[in-house]
């Protein structure tokens, strides 16, 4: 649906979106305006190293089937 592409584009403009997949190439992921992630743990560590321990990170382990919530 068109609204899904629009929301995805808005998110990618505001935040760095890292994408893990065993089935897509880095080029395919980058064509979707995302950054390839081949190791989730290493990716999270790198983000925290770059942005600091107070950085806000959202991990959606089941992709769009995950219901995100904010834990304080």
């Amino acid at each position: 649906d068109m609204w899904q592409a629009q929301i995805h584009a808005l998110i990618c403009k505001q935040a760095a979106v890292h994408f893990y997949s065993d089935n897509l190439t880095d080029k395919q992921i980058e064509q979707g305006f995302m950054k390839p992630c081949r190791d989730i743990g290493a990716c999270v560590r790198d983000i925290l190293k770059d942005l600091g321990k107070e950085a806000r990170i959202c991990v959606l382990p089941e992709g769009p089937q995950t219901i995100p919530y904010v834990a304080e």
Side-chain angles (χ1 to χ4, degrees):
D1 290 325
M2 189 62 162
W3 67 270
Q4 291 171 322
Q6 183 178 4
I7 297 299
H8 174 74
L10 290 172
I11 291 169
C12 290
K13 280 181 68 175
Q14 283 190 314
V17 177
H18 299 261
F19 190 86
Y20 174 86
S21 174
D22 288 328
N23 302 311
L24 298 175
T25 66
D26 287 357
K27 183 178 178 182
Q28 289 171 315
I29 293 169
E30 289 165 354
Q31 287 174 333
F33 307 106
M34 297 171 286
K35 297 179 180 188
C37 169
R38 295 298 169 201
D39 180 334
I40 296 169
C43 186
V44 170
R45 282 190 297 277
D46 290 344
I47 292 168
L48 291 175
K49 186 173 79 175
D50 291 343
L51 300 178
K53 295 201 183 279
E54 299 299 318
R56 297 174 77 180
I57 298 174
C58 176
V59 177
L60 302 174
E62 299 298 326
Q65 297 173 348
T66 303
I67 299 172
Y69 63 93
V70 177
E72 297 286 332

